[in-house]
Amino acid sequence: MKIGVIGGGQLGRMLALAGTPLGMSFAFLDPAPDACAQALGEHIRADYDDKDHLRRLADEVDLVTFEFESVPAETVAFLSQFVPVYPSAESLRIARDRWFEKSMFKDLGIPTPDFADIQSQADLDAAVASIGLPAVLKTRTLGYDGKGQKLLRKPADVSNAFAELGSVPCLLEGFVPFTGEVSLIAVRGRDGETCFYPLVHNSHESGILRLSVASSNHPLQALAEDYVGRVLKQLDYVGVLAFEFFEVDGGLKANEIAPRVHNSGHWTIEGAECSQFENHLRAVAGLPLGSTAKLGESAMLNFIGDVPPVEKVIAIEDCHLHHYGKAFKVGRKVGHATLRCPDRSTLDRQITAVESLIRHS
Ligand code: AMP
């Protein structure tokens, strides 16, 4: 089976690493000459709205999937005429726009921060008057890794905020005084079969994910599965979906969903029976899903900008290196390490060892 992937970054690369043993081959459509997935499959170098190359991709593959959600809607609609596309155009439409996404959560009874659609500075002033400060202003689309958002603490932060984010449609959200951030990675097959990985606790720095730790028997697991299950059913979703929550007052508030494999699920490559990448491919290909059971205690640490010396990373016991083959760049995710340890105290020790390597390299 040949899988077409829109996007050829590290997520596409890891999909191919998981799918190749299943007998799958891959074609990636990505305009970047150095798209790092090209080491693992055919690289169709073209813009995401280039109809000739999209048609070529559709003719070559059995189905198309995505490694990022900001794909133009017309691209998805165009491809859908010729080849099955998972997740669906509707799932992408909702997930790429924070207003549609939060409105869906609200309709499904999933708690969220207070939110308002912002089309002008006047809308923002009115929303701040009702939601209050502090609040977070976010562009409705194209935000990632903390980009496209602004924390509004005091009235002076509000006066020019809409223009500062580019005068594009935005969402204002009440600030959530969270005690933690967790994500749930779920997978749903074409036949509706659904599995959930254990909740993951995530730590960010400067808006970028640094550390994910998979939990054991998290008290909010069942609640998170209930919320995510509602979304999967609503969207008749096929594939892996990541759902990020704020932990607050002993409950959960929905932050956002990603309709794809997700950075907070990378630990599953070594830390779970079947990884998020393999399970995404199984789901979109109509194959039976694999077990999401955790193996031992597991965590993932991102390498941002640069990968520490390979020999030092792999010298750490229980540590598995994933080097994306990307050039150094400040703030760029260039690799990660997965830890899989027999117990929690060993895991904590090994996290400290990798963090120290990151600090000193
Ligand atoms: P996002 O791109 O929406 O995931 O936001 C990036 C990060 O900003 C989150 O992981 C949080 O740490 C923080 N953040 C986003 N929205 C809020 C909010 N409404 N209240 C508090 N912190 C937030």
Side-chain angles (χ1 to χ4, degrees):
M1 177 178 278
K2 189 163 181 181
I3 312 283
V5 184
I6 303 298
Q10 68 265 22
L11 300 181
R13 181 176 163 112
M14 288 185 274
L15 281 169
L17 283 166
T20 304
L22 301 182
M24 295 171 173
S25 60
F26 291 82
F28 305 96
L29 189 132
D30 192 316
D34 56 352
C36 72
Q38 66 187 287
L40 280 301
E42 181 186 348
H43 181 199
I44 299 178
R45 194 179 154 196
D47 287 328
Y48 297 119
D49 58 358
D50 176 336
K51 293 220 164 94
D52 290 341
H53 284 90
L54 288 170
R55 184 64 213 258
R56 188 180 127 200
L57 177 75
D59 286 345
E60 271 186 31
V61 301
D62 297 290
L63 61 91
V64 169
T65 190
F66 305 90
E67 65 142 35
F68 69 108
E69 55 272 39
S70 303
V71 188
E74 309 74 57
T75 297
V76 186
F78 181 78
L79 284 167
S80 304
Q81 297 174 78
F82 310 109
V83 70
V85 167
Y86 302 109
S88 67
E90 176 63 4
S91 301
L92 291 166
R93 185 183 74 85
I94 302 282
R96 82 161 79 83
D97 185 312
R98 293 184 191 274
W99 168 254
F100 295 148
E101 184 181 58
K102 288 253 162 36
S103 303
M104 176 183 67
F105 299 156
K106 195 172 166 190
D107 292 345
L108 294 174
I110 301 170
T112 67
D114 292 336
F115 65 96
D117 183 28
I118 306 296
Q119 300 284 339
S120 65
Q121 184 65 39
D123 284 352
L124 178 59
D125 294 337
V128 167
S130 73
I131 289 175
L133 293 178
V136 187
L137 185 66
K138 303 177 176 181
T139 58
R140 275 178 53 168
T141 61
L142 298 174
Y144 69 99
D145 287 349
K147 294 188 177 69
Q149 60 178 272
K150 197 170 158 38
L151 176 61
L152 310 178
R153 293 176 197 278
K154 48 189 192 306
D157 297 336
V158 179
S159 44
N160 205 27
F162 184 68
E164 282 168 24
L165 281 187
S167 301
V168 293
C170 286
L171 192 83
L172 185 74
E173 282 178 21
F175 183 85
V176 180
F178 58 80
T179 52
E181 293 187 77
V182 291
S183 56
L184 190 73
I185 310 289
V187 58
R188 187 169 184 271
R190 285 199 213 165
D191 58 359
E193 181 192 2
T194 301
C195 299
F196 302 94
Y197 288 93
L199 267 170
V200 179
H201 185 269
N202 299 314
S203 310
H204 299 83
E205 250 176 66
S206 312
I208 304 178
L209 180 66
R210 298 285 159 154
L211 170 68
S212 292
V213 182
S215 62
S216 297
N217 305 317
H218 196 293
L220 296 172
Q221 179 80 28
L223 184 65
E225 290 186 10
D226 173 22
Y227 292 158
V228 178
R230 294 183 207 181
V231 168
L232 293 172
K233 206 161 162 226
Q234 170 72 18
L235 296 173
D236 194 16
Y237 193 85
V238 177
V240 161
L241 178 129
F243 202 133
E244 295 183 64
F245 294 99
F246 299 120
E247 249 184 293
V248 62
D249 300 330
L252 295 170
K253 278 194 177 173
N255 179 20
E256 62 179 355
I257 53 174
R260 54 174 168 79
V261 288
H262 192 257
N263 197 170
S264 68
H266 290 1
W267 65 274
T268 62
I269 298 177
E270 285 89 10
E273 197 71 55
C274 181
S275 77
Q276 64 163 349
F277 299 99
E278 181 174 335
N279 254 334
H280 180 73
L281 293 167
R282 287 181 181 222
V284 299
L287 298 168
L289 302 184
S291 165
T292 50
K294 184 158 69 83
L295 304 170
E297 298 299 327
S298 189
M300 185 276 331
L301 293 102
N302 267 336
F303 296 134
I304 313 289
D306 215 352
V307 178
V310 170
E311 66 280 9
K312 291 192 177 167
V313 181
I314 61 176
I316 296 173
E317 212 176 325
D318 307 321
C319 184
H320 305 266
L321 172 62
H322 296 266
H323 195 309
Y324 305 155
K326 291 162 82 171
F328 168 85
K329 189 177 170 194
V330 175
R332 173 184 274 174
K333 293 173 182 170
V334 289
H336 74 266
T338 308
L339 295 166
R340 189 188 64 214
C341 301
D343 55 66
R344 188 55 202 249
S345 57
T346 310
L347 180 70
D348 289 342
R349 226 177 19 254
Q350 303 305 57
I351 290 173
T352 306
V354 178
E355 282 174 338
S356 155
L357 196 53
I358 292 170
R359 263 197 314 278
H360 293 109
S361 60

